Amino acid sequence: MQHRRREYNIVILGAGGVGKSCLTAQFVHNEWIESYDPTIEDSYRKVIDVDGRSCILEILDTAGTEQFTAMREIYMKTGQGFLLVYSITSLNTLTELSDLRDQILRIKEAESVPIVIVGNKSDLEEDRAVHSNRAIHLSEKWGRVPFYETSARKRQNVDEVFLDLCRQMMRADANSGWGSDGYGKEKPPGGKKPPKTSGGRQGRSRFCVIL
Amino acid sequence: MLAPSARNSTSSTSSSFATSSFTPVTRQNTIGSDGPRSVRASKRYSVTALYLSMSAHDKDIEIEDELAKVQKTLRDLKAKISSQSKKNFVLEKDVRYLDSRIALLIQNRMALEEQNEVASHFDESSELQEGTFPNDQKTQQYGNLFFLLQSEPRHIASLCRLVSMSEIDSLLQTVMFTIYGNQYESREEHLLLTMFQSVLSAQFDTTPEYSSLLRANTPVSRMMTTYTRRGPGQSYLKVVLAKQINNLIELKELNLEINPLKVYERMVKNVEEDTGTLPANMPRSVSAEEAAANPQVQAIIEPRLTMLMELANTFLATIIDNINETPYGIRWICKQIRSLTRRKYPDAKDQVVCTLIGGFFFLRFLNPAIVTPRSYMLIDNVPSEHPRRTLTLIAKMLQNLANKPSYSKEPYMAKLSPFVSNNKVRINKFLNDLCEVGDFYESLEMDNYVALSKKDLELNITLNEVYATHSLLEKHYKELGRDTEHLSIILEELGSAPPQLPRKENRAINLPLFSRWESAIDDISAALDITQEDVYFMEAKSIFVQLLRTLPPMSPAVRRPLNLRKIADTAATMKDMGMFRKGMRGLELLNQLKDLGVITDLDNYQILQEEVEQELVHLGSLKEKVMEESKKLDEVYKTIRDHNAYLVSQLETYKSYLHNVRSQSEGKQRSKQQKQHVLGPYKFTHQQLEKEGVIQKSNVPDNRRANIFFTITSPSPGTFVISLHYKGLHPQDPGPDITPGCLTIKVHKLTVVTLPGRNRGLLELDLKLDDLLEMQQNNHDELDLEYVQFNVPKVLALLNKRFARKKNW
Ligand SMILES: Nc1nc2c(ncn2[C@@H]2O[C@H](COP(=O)(O)OP(=O)(O)OP(=O)(O)O)[C@@H](O)[C@H]2O)c(=O)[nH]1
Ligand SMILES: [Mg+2]
């Protein structure tokens, strides 16, 4: 299994209507979708070349509709890299990202996780409500998480955000071998994540047998 | 002379008052008219209001017939649901907060200060004490403020638009569960809906294109979430979804995945597991197109498509059949969306309008409950993988029906397009039908009059709710817009808002509401545009109905055909003072009405007599309806009480855990000689645990179950030893159907090694509270002990109950 292509799980998160699905459809199918079609949960697969290495991306496009938030936790568990999308036409959508990142870090039990901040709808300059400085500030605060402004409509920076995320995931992969905690590992044959180690925690006796 | 239309309408309308309830379907749907307010309609409502206020104020005699009894039950039930759903809403917030914090605590990633902060949250969940404001003046001022806020919803509507998303939750809690907290009272419901409307139309005004309408998370969407948590929304979801979802999640192994990639993957995995290798023509990963073209994959998917469409069809059919169960408020909001859309986009096609209604009704209300039924109290446990996916697929299908699907996103969904095309007409009709409900403006006006004439308008509210609302108003009131004169006077007088009180000092108060500007109406008829004749007529009707409901059934006076004079005479000779007064007043009214020429004794007062009869017939059938409604609400109440019990036990578990952690870290600093007190062992039979649901699956053969028992000991707080015993087993014997020797059992990431032959038990395991909580966090509901499978939440509940030590385990 040495030469198996690397497989990564990407999860797209962000408020309702910011353009998560349009962005994904542009990236995967090169298509602009104009219909009124709120997402509940869609999955995509795409094979891409990143710096000469072929990767399989499993992309999960999620619901921004707040009534579906109960599902997020499961997504976050399976995801290895996250696009956090807001719309430059609404400040609220940017502020909502902080909670998402907190939740990801908590669930991943990690200090950092591959994330890209995406400010979509950059073609709507006349309706801009979020200056890019605000997002840059957020990115600094999160430890220089990459940030892009994109337009799904004009297909600007679409490939770039996905590529950036892939590179992050690959780097994370290289840095962490098997068995250490973190993310971005190649899947073991069963398709399951390797067991999480409980190293570093104290005083934890697990189930054991008294003989 | 009374207009005929006025009289005919009263009997049906009075029903909603007679039950003190909100019965929208019979009321609004039949009487409401969309047109401009007509003189006749206005008069009709006036007379109705008059009749209602007359029946409402009468304290002279207490009616105790069967109807009165069932009505009382219903009223109590409604009050209980209203207050319980508020409690749950608050508890849910606490549990959600703790859910997120506890995870950190388990991972040992929480600083001590934060632990203290979390601990302070637990104090917040105990019952509130009753209290009052610091002084009468404050009571008056706040009573005035909240009367204004309640009766003029536009202030809160503006506030909802101005506050930040972080402020809105607590504001909405106060609005939906306190200010308009009587969820079955028509006036409060209607005022709340008026507020909805104004927030909704502001949203339409500020959204440039319809494609982004109602998509973002805004105050409106947050209001929706909160609104659906009230009693009526929950009953509805239960009616239309609970049974089908429960049936579906029973079928744990039913895999209806139709995404070719996923199907292919599983196929590969199965082949690999069965044969150990993969044939050369079966690459591990393929493209979506390759997977979809694979004949084996197609063969697997084919029957699943049929099943999915059948399932979705049953869901849809139930939803459509139960259109009349849909809460009035939800339907009315749909109607607003329709009319706002038509107004803003006059050229919008019906399809577009339906898309928007569906984007609300399905996307924000039904589908979230289908996809995550546990959060809506429809099921007890998180569904396992396959049913979860099936439910998601069904929700996607229903959403596709409501919107224009673009199959280019997930091409495999196109296979389900027959479901969409076969039901398109049906769904559009349904969505339009949903909007067919009457408005309530006129009845609201009357309700407001009646409210003003009630002298005991009260609000059960907490000091902190009062102060939080006050401070939001203070912060935003300059932007509240026009017509805020009264509001600013009160705010001026109140001065600056007091800070939030620490939990221990927070109090629940009964705030008497009153209006400084509108004096209470003593004589409602004066406030309404009706004649003296109407007043007498309605009063007479009201009195005779009451007398007939109070007189003993055997009394000759109640014999048919009704003789009104005889009824009044009989009452007027009774000892009961109330009856006596009523009888006298009845006689007086008959004479007055006769003198005015409204009725005549020549035909035995026929007009009045008929109307009294009609009202009685109506009340007779009302009893059935009231009982039916009570039965339904009883179930709702049971559900939310169960949910409450679940939330409370969850909170208890967290609490114990936190105390445990803290006492351990304290213990480290203190001397170690304090001896821990061992609790147990307690013995439990297999049967007992099975009945309580602790054992959710058992591999022990039926005939051996009687021989199995468990003991649980807690050697120190937070640690438990569970052992499984087999009665009559010699230490050397092998266990029940287990191979002698070493047996390895996987408990998730953990390994249990069992060696039979110990006299302490066939299998023993050390269990830490941390582990159980972590499993619960990860939605691992199963604790696998090879012979039996425990249910984690139930184990926690059991331990909680049996081993509750003082303040820690
Ligand atoms: N002008 C412009 N419009 C966009 C862009 N991306 C998306 N939109 C529009 O925004 C609306 C919502 O886009 P979606 O991709 O469906 O939004 P989403 O984030 O997937 O929303 P949910 O699935 O509800 O969470 C659509 O009507 C798109 O046409 C963009 O880059 N520019
Ligand atoms: Mg989407």
PDB file of all heavy atoms in Angstrom, chain A residues 14-22 32-35 37-39 61-65 120-121 123-124 150-153, chain B residues 211 215, ligand 1:
ATOM      1  N   GLY A  14     -19.544  27.430   7.621  1.00  0.00           N
ATOM      2  CA  GLY A  14     -19.813  28.868   7.544  1.00  0.00           C
ATOM      3  C   GLY A  14     -21.307  29.115   7.551  1.00  0.00           C
ATOM      4  O   GLY A  14     -22.108  28.183   7.399  1.00  0.00           O
ATOM      5  N   ALA A  15     -21.681  30.363   7.730  1.00  0.00           N
ATOM      6  CA  ALA A  15     -23.091  30.726   7.884  1.00  0.00           C
ATOM      7  C   ALA A  15     -23.899  30.414   6.627  1.00  0.00           C
ATOM      8  O   ALA A  15     -23.334  30.173   5.555  1.00  0.00           O
ATOM      9  CB  ALA A  15     -23.213  32.196   8.230  1.00  0.00           C
ATOM     10  N   GLY A  16     -25.214  30.449   6.756  1.00  0.00           N
ATOM     11  CA  GLY A  16     -26.093  30.159   5.628  1.00  0.00           C
ATOM     12  C   GLY A  16     -25.963  31.207   4.534  1.00  0.00           C
ATOM     13  O   GLY A  16     -25.873  32.394   4.809  1.00  0.00           O
ATOM     14  N   GLY A  17     -25.922  30.744   3.296  1.00  0.00           N
ATOM     15  CA  GLY A  17     -25.942  31.658   2.166  1.00  0.00           C
ATOM     16  C   GLY A  17     -24.650  32.391   1.848  1.00  0.00           C
ATOM     17  O   GLY A  17     -24.639  33.284   1.009  1.00  0.00           O
ATOM     18  N   VAL A  18     -23.553  32.016   2.485  1.00  0.00           N
ATOM     19  CA  VAL A  18     -22.303  32.730   2.194  1.00  0.00           C
ATOM     20  C   VAL A  18     -21.651  32.257   0.898  1.00  0.00           C
ATOM     21  O   VAL A  18     -20.751  32.893   0.375  1.00  0.00           O
ATOM     22  CB  VAL A  18     -21.281  32.613   3.347  1.00  0.00           C
ATOM     23  CG1 VAL A  18     -21.796  33.304   4.595  1.00  0.00           C
ATOM     24  CG2 VAL A  18     -20.921  31.166   3.613  1.00  0.00           C
ATOM     25  N   GLY A  19     -22.115  31.116   0.391  1.00  0.00           N
ATOM     26  CA  GLY A  19     -21.587  30.624  -0.877  1.00  0.00           C
ATOM     27  C   GLY A  19     -20.720  29.391  -0.752  1.00  0.00           C
ATOM     28  O   GLY A  19     -19.911  29.100  -1.644  1.00  0.00           O
ATOM     29  N   LYS A  20     -20.888  28.636   0.292  1.00  0.00           N
ATOM     30  CA  LYS A  20     -20.105  27.417   0.479  1.00  0.00           C
ATOM     31  C   LYS A  20     -20.317  26.444  -0.668  1.00  0.00           C
ATOM     32  O   LYS A  20     -19.376  25.889  -1.220  1.00  0.00           O
ATOM     33  CB  LYS A  20     -20.494  26.722   1.802  1.00  0.00           C
ATOM     34  CG  LYS A  20     -20.186  27.510   3.034  1.00  0.00           C
ATOM     35  CD  LYS A  20     -20.580  26.772   4.298  1.00  0.00           C
ATOM     36  CE  LYS A  20     -22.074  26.549   4.432  1.00  0.00           C
ATOM     37  NZ  LYS A  20     -22.865  27.779   4.523  1.00  0.00           N
ATOM     38  N   SER A  21     -21.596  26.259  -1.018  1.00  0.00           N
ATOM     39  CA  SER A  21     -21.889  25.285  -2.068  1.00  0.00           C
ATOM     40  C   SER A  21     -21.407  25.775  -3.427  1.00  0.00           C
ATOM     41  O   SER A  21     -20.872  24.997  -4.219  1.00  0.00           O
ATOM     42  CB  SER A  21     -23.386  25.005  -2.123  1.00  0.00           C
ATOM     43  OG  SER A  21     -23.833  24.574  -0.871  1.00  0.00           O
ATOM     44  N   CYS A  22     -21.593  27.057  -3.695  1.00  0.00           N
ATOM     45  CA  CYS A  22     -21.137  27.600  -4.974  1.00  0.00           C
ATOM     46  C   CYS A  22     -19.627  27.439  -5.113  1.00  0.00           C
ATOM     47  O   CYS A  22     -19.121  27.059  -6.169  1.00  0.00           O
ATOM     48  CB  CYS A  22     -21.512  29.071  -5.080  1.00  0.00           C
ATOM     49  SG  CYS A  22     -23.274  29.327  -5.279  1.00  0.00           S
ATOM     50  N   TRP A  32     -21.025  27.150 -12.177  1.00  0.00           N
ATOM     51  CA  TRP A  32     -21.630  28.210 -11.354  1.00  0.00           C
ATOM     52  C   TRP A  32     -23.099  27.884 -11.187  1.00  0.00           C
ATOM     53  O   TRP A  32     -23.837  27.740 -12.153  1.00  0.00           O
ATOM     54  CB  TRP A  32     -21.447  29.574 -12.025  1.00  0.00           C
ATOM     55  CG  TRP A  32     -22.339  30.642 -11.480  1.00  0.00           C
ATOM     56  CD1 TRP A  32     -23.350  31.277 -12.139  1.00  0.00           C
ATOM     57  CD2 TRP A  32     -22.307  31.206 -10.163  1.00  0.00           C
ATOM     58  NE1 TRP A  32     -23.949  32.201 -11.310  1.00  0.00           N
ATOM     59  CE2 TRP A  32     -23.330  32.170 -10.087  1.00  0.00           C
ATOM     60  CE3 TRP A  32     -21.520  30.971  -9.017  1.00  0.00           C
ATOM     61  CZ2 TRP A  32     -23.588  32.914  -8.934  1.00  0.00           C
ATOM     62  CZ3 TRP A  32     -21.777  31.706  -7.878  1.00  0.00           C
ATOM     63  CH2 TRP A  32     -22.799  32.673  -7.839  1.00  0.00           C
ATOM     64  N   ILE A  33     -23.520  27.750  -9.947  1.00  0.00           N
ATOM     65  CA  ILE A  33     -24.917  27.409  -9.674  1.00  0.00           C
ATOM     66  C   ILE A  33     -25.633  28.615  -9.118  1.00  0.00           C
ATOM     67  O   ILE A  33     -25.196  29.233  -8.165  1.00  0.00           O
ATOM     68  CB  ILE A  33     -25.003  26.249  -8.658  1.00  0.00           C
ATOM     69  CG1 ILE A  33     -24.284  25.030  -9.225  1.00  0.00           C
ATOM     70  CG2 ILE A  33     -26.445  25.918  -8.356  1.00  0.00           C
ATOM     71  CD1 ILE A  33     -24.131  23.922  -8.223  1.00  0.00           C
ATOM     72  N   GLU A  34     -26.745  28.920  -9.729  1.00  0.00           N
ATOM     73  CA  GLU A  34     -27.418  30.167  -9.363  1.00  0.00           C
ATOM     74  C   GLU A  34     -28.715  29.899  -8.601  1.00  0.00           C
ATOM     75  O   GLU A  34     -29.406  30.798  -8.186  1.00  0.00           O
ATOM     76  CB  GLU A  34     -27.679  30.957 -10.667  1.00  0.00           C
ATOM     77  CG  GLU A  34     -28.485  32.223 -10.543  1.00  0.00           C
ATOM     78  CD  GLU A  34     -27.688  33.370  -9.928  1.00  0.00           C
ATOM     79  OE1 GLU A  34     -26.957  34.011 -10.704  1.00  0.00           O
ATOM     80  OE2 GLU A  34     -27.812  33.643  -8.723  1.00  0.00           O
ATOM     81  N   SER A  35     -29.040  28.637  -8.358  1.00  0.00           N
ATOM     82  CA  SER A  35     -30.387  28.387  -7.822  1.00  0.00           C
ATOM     83  C   SER A  35     -30.452  28.559  -6.303  1.00  0.00           C
ATOM     84  O   SER A  35     -29.450  28.570  -5.613  1.00  0.00           O
ATOM     85  CB  SER A  35     -30.845  26.983  -8.194  1.00  0.00           C
ATOM     86  OG  SER A  35     -30.035  26.049  -7.553  1.00  0.00           O
ATOM     87  N   ASP A  37     -30.854  27.034  -3.239  1.00  0.00           N
ATOM     88  CA  ASP A  37     -30.751  25.632  -2.865  1.00  0.00           C
ATOM     89  C   ASP A  37     -29.951  25.454  -1.584  1.00  0.00           C
ATOM     90  O   ASP A  37     -28.785  25.060  -1.610  1.00  0.00           O
ATOM     91  CB  ASP A  37     -30.087  24.877  -4.026  1.00  0.00           C
ATOM     92  CG  ASP A  37     -30.190  23.372  -3.863  1.00  0.00           C
ATOM     93  OD1 ASP A  37     -30.892  22.914  -2.942  1.00  0.00           O
ATOM     94  OD2 ASP A  37     -29.545  22.666  -4.645  1.00  0.00           O
ATOM     95  N   PRO A  38     -30.574  25.731  -0.448  1.00  0.00           N
ATOM     96  CA  PRO A  38     -29.838  25.578   0.811  1.00  0.00           C
ATOM     97  C   PRO A  38     -29.427  24.123   1.047  1.00  0.00           C
ATOM     98  O   PRO A  38     -30.167  23.200   0.715  1.00  0.00           O
ATOM     99  CB  PRO A  38     -30.825  26.040   1.879  1.00  0.00           C
ATOM    100  CG  PRO A  38     -32.121  26.268   1.218  1.00  0.00           C
ATOM    101  CD  PRO A  38     -31.948  26.190  -0.249  1.00  0.00           C
ATOM    102  N   THR A  39     -28.258  23.952   1.563  1.00  0.00           N
ATOM    103  CA  THR A  39     -27.692  22.613   1.733  1.00  0.00           C
ATOM    104  C   THR A  39     -28.109  21.993   3.063  1.00  0.00           C
ATOM    105  O   THR A  39     -28.232  22.695   4.055  1.00  0.00           O
ATOM    106  CB  THR A  39     -26.159  22.715   1.718  1.00  0.00           C
ATOM    107  OG1 THR A  39     -25.781  23.498   0.600  1.00  0.00           O
ATOM    108  CG2 THR A  39     -25.516  21.351   1.656  1.00  0.00           C
ATOM    109  N   ASP A  61     -19.768  19.381   2.155  1.00  0.00           N
ATOM    110  CA  ASP A  61     -20.370  20.718   2.168  1.00  0.00           C
ATOM    111  C   ASP A  61     -21.533  20.673   3.154  1.00  0.00           C
ATOM    112  O   ASP A  61     -22.426  19.844   3.032  1.00  0.00           O
ATOM    113  CB  ASP A  61     -20.849  21.050   0.747  1.00  0.00           C
ATOM    114  CG  ASP A  61     -21.572  22.385   0.694  1.00  0.00           C
ATOM    115  OD1 ASP A  61     -21.356  23.223   1.598  1.00  0.00           O
ATOM    116  OD2 ASP A  61     -22.340  22.594  -0.265  1.00  0.00           O
ATOM    117  N   THR A  62     -21.503  21.546   4.138  1.00  0.00           N
ATOM    118  CA  THR A  62     -22.465  21.430   5.242  1.00  0.00           C
ATOM    119  C   THR A  62     -23.530  22.518   5.201  1.00  0.00           C
ATOM    120  O   THR A  62     -23.471  23.428   4.404  1.00  0.00           O
ATOM    121  CB  THR A  62     -21.738  21.510   6.599  1.00  0.00           C
ATOM    122  OG1 THR A  62     -21.236  22.837   6.757  1.00  0.00           O
ATOM    123  CG2 THR A  62     -20.604  20.526   6.666  1.00  0.00           C
ATOM    124  N   ALA A  63     -24.482  22.384   6.112  1.00  0.00           N
ATOM    125  CA  ALA A  63     -25.578  23.352   6.196  1.00  0.00           C
ATOM    126  C   ALA A  63     -25.145  24.547   7.020  1.00  0.00           C
ATOM    127  O   ALA A  63     -24.633  24.404   8.117  1.00  0.00           O
ATOM    128  CB  ALA A  63     -26.791  22.699   6.850  1.00  0.00           C
ATOM    129  N   GLY A  64     -25.349  25.722   6.475  1.00  0.00           N
ATOM    130  CA  GLY A  64     -25.067  26.912   7.252  1.00  0.00           C
ATOM    131  C   GLY A  64     -26.268  27.298   8.100  1.00  0.00           C
ATOM    132  O   GLY A  64     -26.156  28.013   9.087  1.00  0.00           O
ATOM    133  N   THR A  65     -27.424  26.793   7.719  1.00  0.00           N
ATOM    134  CA  THR A  65     -28.658  27.053   8.454  1.00  0.00           C
ATOM    135  C   THR A  65     -28.489  26.663   9.919  1.00  0.00           C
ATOM    136  O   THR A  65     -28.128  25.526  10.203  1.00  0.00           O
ATOM    137  CB  THR A  65     -29.802  26.221   7.847  1.00  0.00           C
ATOM    138  OG1 THR A  65     -29.822  26.453   6.450  1.00  0.00           O
ATOM    139  CG2 THR A  65     -31.127  26.611   8.437  1.00  0.00           C
ATOM    140  N   ASN A 120     -15.898  35.130   0.875  1.00  0.00           N
ATOM    141  CA  ASN A 120     -16.461  34.918  -0.460  1.00  0.00           C
ATOM    142  C   ASN A 120     -17.301  36.118  -0.937  1.00  0.00           C
ATOM    143  O   ASN A 120     -17.575  37.039  -0.180  1.00  0.00           O
ATOM    144  CB  ASN A 120     -17.306  33.638  -0.448  1.00  0.00           C
ATOM    145  CG  ASN A 120     -17.732  33.213  -1.832  1.00  0.00           C
ATOM    146  OD1 ASN A 120     -16.958  33.323  -2.792  1.00  0.00           O
ATOM    147  ND2 ASN A 120     -18.974  32.751  -1.959  1.00  0.00           N
ATOM    148  N   LYS A 121     -17.692  36.050  -2.179  1.00  0.00           N
ATOM    149  CA  LYS A 121     -18.483  37.082  -2.861  1.00  0.00           C
ATOM    150  C   LYS A 121     -17.676  38.356  -3.085  1.00  0.00           C
ATOM    151  O   LYS A 121     -18.213  39.470  -3.013  1.00  0.00           O
ATOM    152  CB  LYS A 121     -19.786  37.409  -2.096  1.00  0.00           C
ATOM    153  CG  LYS A 121     -20.648  36.186  -1.807  1.00  0.00           C
ATOM    154  CD  LYS A 121     -22.092  36.549  -1.488  1.00  0.00           C
ATOM    155  CE  LYS A 121     -22.877  35.306  -1.079  1.00  0.00           C
ATOM    156  NZ  LYS A 121     -24.261  35.559  -0.721  1.00  0.00           N
ATOM    157  N   ASP A 123     -16.738  39.589  -5.628  1.00  0.00           N
ATOM    158  CA  ASP A 123     -17.204  40.367  -6.786  1.00  0.00           C
ATOM    159  C   ASP A 123     -18.235  41.420  -6.397  1.00  0.00           C
ATOM    160  O   ASP A 123     -18.475  42.362  -7.137  1.00  0.00           O
ATOM    161  CB  ASP A 123     -17.786  39.414  -7.843  1.00  0.00           C
ATOM    162  CG  ASP A 123     -18.886  38.540  -7.290  1.00  0.00           C
ATOM    163  OD1 ASP A 123     -18.602  37.727  -6.374  1.00  0.00           O
ATOM    164  OD2 ASP A 123     -20.034  38.648  -7.727  1.00  0.00           O
ATOM    165  N   LEU A 124     -18.830  41.263  -5.232  1.00  0.00           N
ATOM    166  CA  LEU A 124     -19.857  42.220  -4.817  1.00  0.00           C
ATOM    167  C   LEU A 124     -19.225  43.386  -4.047  1.00  0.00           C
ATOM    168  O   LEU A 124     -19.638  43.715  -2.930  1.00  0.00           O
ATOM    169  CB  LEU A 124     -20.914  41.531  -3.949  1.00  0.00           C
ATOM    170  CG  LEU A 124     -21.764  40.457  -4.623  1.00  0.00           C
ATOM    171  CD1 LEU A 124     -22.716  39.811  -3.618  1.00  0.00           C
ATOM    172  CD2 LEU A 124     -22.557  41.050  -5.786  1.00  0.00           C
ATOM    173  N   THR A 150     -12.481  35.368  -2.091  1.00  0.00           N
ATOM    174  CA  THR A 150     -12.785  34.586  -3.291  1.00  0.00           C
ATOM    175  C   THR A 150     -14.067  35.086  -3.928  1.00  0.00           C
ATOM    176  O   THR A 150     -14.854  35.786  -3.302  1.00  0.00           O
ATOM    177  CB  THR A 150     -13.035  33.105  -2.924  1.00  0.00           C
ATOM    178  OG1 THR A 150     -14.158  33.063  -2.051  1.00  0.00           O
ATOM    179  CG2 THR A 150     -11.842  32.476  -2.258  1.00  0.00           C
ATOM    180  N   SER A 151     -14.234  34.701  -5.172  1.00  0.00           N
ATOM    181  CA  SER A 151     -15.542  34.879  -5.787  1.00  0.00           C
ATOM    182  C   SER A 151     -15.909  33.568  -6.465  1.00  0.00           C
ATOM    183  O   SER A 151     -15.261  33.144  -7.418  1.00  0.00           O
ATOM    184  CB  SER A 151     -15.522  35.995  -6.822  1.00  0.00           C
ATOM    185  OG  SER A 151     -16.692  35.907  -7.613  1.00  0.00           O
ATOM    186  N   ALA A 152     -16.946  32.948  -5.950  1.00  0.00           N
ATOM    187  CA  ALA A 152     -17.394  31.713  -6.587  1.00  0.00           C
ATOM    188  C   ALA A 152     -17.997  32.057  -7.942  1.00  0.00           C
ATOM    189  O   ALA A 152     -17.851  31.311  -8.915  1.00  0.00           O
ATOM    190  CB  ALA A 152     -18.421  31.015  -5.706  1.00  0.00           C
ATOM    191  N   ARG A 153     -18.616  33.197  -8.006  1.00  0.00           N
ATOM    192  CA  ARG A 153     -19.257  33.591  -9.260  1.00  0.00           C
ATOM    193  C   ARG A 153     -18.216  33.775 -10.365  1.00  0.00           C
ATOM    194  O   ARG A 153     -18.370  33.265 -11.460  1.00  0.00           O
ATOM    195  CB  ARG A 153     -20.042  34.877  -9.055  1.00  0.00           C
ATOM    196  CG  ARG A 153     -20.510  35.496 -10.363  1.00  0.00           C
ATOM    197  CD  ARG A 153     -21.555  36.556 -10.132  1.00  0.00           C
ATOM    198  NE  ARG A 153     -22.879  35.952 -10.145  1.00  0.00           N
ATOM    199  CZ  ARG A 153     -23.964  36.541  -9.673  1.00  0.00           C
ATOM    200  NH1 ARG A 153     -23.869  37.715  -9.092  1.00  0.00           N
ATOM    201  NH2 ARG A 153     -25.125  35.939  -9.764  1.00  0.00           N
TER     202      ARG A 153
ATOM    203  N   SER B 211     -32.655  35.554  -3.816  1.00  0.00           N
ATOM    204  CA  SER B 211     -31.873  34.331  -3.637  1.00  0.00           C
ATOM    205  C   SER B 211     -31.192  34.278  -2.276  1.00  0.00           C
ATOM    206  O   SER B 211     -30.829  33.217  -1.797  1.00  0.00           O
ATOM    207  CB  SER B 211     -30.833  34.203  -4.748  1.00  0.00           C
ATOM    208  OG  SER B 211     -29.940  35.280  -4.682  1.00  0.00           O
ATOM    209  N   ARG B 215     -31.899  33.197   4.102  1.00  0.00           N
ATOM    210  CA  ARG B 215     -30.843  32.195   4.101  1.00  0.00           C
ATOM    211  C   ARG B 215     -29.899  32.386   5.279  1.00  0.00           C
ATOM    212  O   ARG B 215     -29.420  31.436   5.878  1.00  0.00           O
ATOM    213  CB  ARG B 215     -30.021  32.300   2.801  1.00  0.00           C
ATOM    214  CG  ARG B 215     -30.770  31.877   1.559  1.00  0.00           C
ATOM    215  CD  ARG B 215     -30.933  30.383   1.490  1.00  0.00           C
ATOM    216  NE  ARG B 215     -29.677  29.669   1.436  1.00  0.00           N
ATOM    217  CZ  ARG B 215     -29.030  29.420   0.315  1.00  0.00           C
ATOM    218  NH1 ARG B 215     -29.501  29.826  -0.832  1.00  0.00           N
ATOM    219  NH2 ARG B 215     -27.910  28.747   0.345  1.00  0.00           N
TER     220      ARG B 215
HETATM  221  N1  LIG C   1     -22.194  37.550  -6.273  1.00  0.00           N
HETATM  222  C1  LIG C   1     -21.909  36.385  -5.738  1.00  0.00           C
HETATM  223  N2  LIG C   1     -22.898  35.602  -5.298  1.00  0.00           N
HETATM  224  C2  LIG C   1     -22.576  34.413  -4.760  1.00  0.00           C
HETATM  225  C3  LIG C   1     -21.233  33.992  -4.667  1.00  0.00           C
HETATM  226  N3  LIG C   1     -21.240  32.762  -4.100  1.00  0.00           N
HETATM  227  C4  LIG C   1     -22.529  32.455  -3.856  1.00  0.00           C
HETATM  228  N4  LIG C   1     -23.333  33.442  -4.238  1.00  0.00           N
HETATM  229  C5  LIG C   1     -24.794  33.489  -4.134  1.00  0.00           C
HETATM  230  O1  LIG C   1     -25.150  33.328  -2.779  1.00  0.00           O
HETATM  231  C6  LIG C   1     -26.285  32.481  -2.637  1.00  0.00           C
HETATM  232  C7  LIG C   1     -26.022  31.375  -1.679  1.00  0.00           C
HETATM  233  O2  LIG C   1     -25.009  30.536  -2.141  1.00  0.00           O
HETATM  234  P1  LIG C   1     -24.807  29.046  -1.631  1.00  0.00           P
HETATM  235  O3  LIG C   1     -23.544  28.529  -2.174  1.00  0.00           O
HETATM  236  O4  LIG C   1     -26.029  28.254  -1.852  1.00  0.00           O
HETATM  237  O5  LIG C   1     -24.653  29.321  -0.085  1.00  0.00           O
HETATM  238  P2  LIG C   1     -24.258  28.263   1.053  1.00  0.00           P
HETATM  239  O6  LIG C   1     -23.184  28.868   1.885  1.00  0.00           O
HETATM  240  O7  LIG C   1     -23.978  26.955   0.483  1.00  0.00           O
HETATM  241  O8  LIG C   1     -25.598  28.253   1.904  1.00  0.00           O
HETATM  242  P3  LIG C   1     -26.182  27.042   2.811  1.00  0.00           P
HETATM  243  O9  LIG C   1     -26.094  25.808   2.034  1.00  0.00           O
HETATM  244  O10 LIG C   1     -27.577  27.442   3.112  1.00  0.00           O
HETATM  245  O11 LIG C   1     -25.357  27.015   4.045  1.00  0.00           O
HETATM  246  C8  LIG C   1     -26.596  31.940  -4.022  1.00  0.00           C
HETATM  247  O12 LIG C   1     -27.744  32.564  -4.494  1.00  0.00           O
HETATM  248  C9  LIG C   1     -25.425  32.305  -4.865  1.00  0.00           C
HETATM  249  O13 LIG C   1     -25.845  32.679  -6.141  1.00  0.00           O
HETATM  250  C10 LIG C   1     -20.218  34.843  -5.151  1.00  0.00           C
HETATM  251  O14 LIG C   1     -19.025  34.561  -5.116  1.00  0.00           O
HETATM  252  N5  LIG C   1     -20.610  36.024  -5.679  1.00  0.00           N
END
